[in-house]
Amino acid sequence: MDDNLSLKELKEIIREYVNERDWEQFHNPKDLALALNLEISEILEHFRFKNNEEIDKYIKELKNKQELGHELADILYFLVRLADVMNVDLPKAFKEKFEIMKQKYPIEKAKGSNKKYTEL
């Protein structure tokens, strides 16, 4: 597989994988969203009970970095699959949302701050 896959290529690879296994029947929006949530929760296992210094040390170990990467790949899989099933154009949605975020967090107000836009 190419290291520089486009989102379109990822979607096609996932579709083929799902179709070969006859999993469309299980890939309804609710169950895909639940699976996505569960996979995101698995990321937290890597950070639980660790401070930032311990996390930095932890992620420098190749095995841990690979495991974290696999969890992130699981998240990407379910995110792309959910968007595909729901017929959401992720790049378009991202661009639209990013423009909204830039409006909510203008540089002059948000730079260096972790406050929510309603508090700026």
Side-chain angles (χ1 to χ4, degrees), residues 30-45:
K30 175 194 62 88
D31 287 325
L32 288 169
L34 285 169
L36 178 60
N37 191 5
L38 292 170
E39 293 299 338
I40 291 170
S41 295
E42 289 181 18
I43 294 287
L44 297 175
E45 292 177 10

Side-chain angles (χ1 to χ4, degrees), residues 78-113:
F78 282 111
L79 177 63
V80 170
R81 184 66 183 146
L82 178 59
D84 189 23
V85 167
M86 298 296 299
N87 198 28
V88 171
D89 181 336
L90 273 179
K92 180 181 177 193
F94 177 83
K95 288 177 187 176
E96 290 171 358
K97 179 62 177 182
F98 202 70
E99 287 304 314
I100 292 168
M101 289 168 42
K102 288 180 358 184
Q103 296 292 321
K104 287 181 176 181
Y105 295 96
I107 295 169
E108 59 277 0
K109 290 184 177 181
K111 189 170 185 172
S113 174

Side-chain angles (χ1 to χ4, degrees), residues 12-26:
E12 289 170 5
I13 289 167
I14 293 168
R15 274 185 189 165
E16 182 178 343
Y17 177 81
V18 168
N19 289 337
E20 290 172 342
R21 287 155 181 81
D22 190 27
W23 286 351
E24 299 91 350
Q25 60 187 316
F26 309 116

Side-chain angles (χ1 to χ4, degrees), residues 58-73:
Y58 174 85
I59 202 65
K60 286 180 182 172
E61 293 181 32
L62 181 59
K63 179 180 177 274
N64 297 333
K65 189 170 188 171
Q66 285 176 328
E67 287 177 7
L68 182 62
H70 292 165
E71 297 298 349
L72 291 169

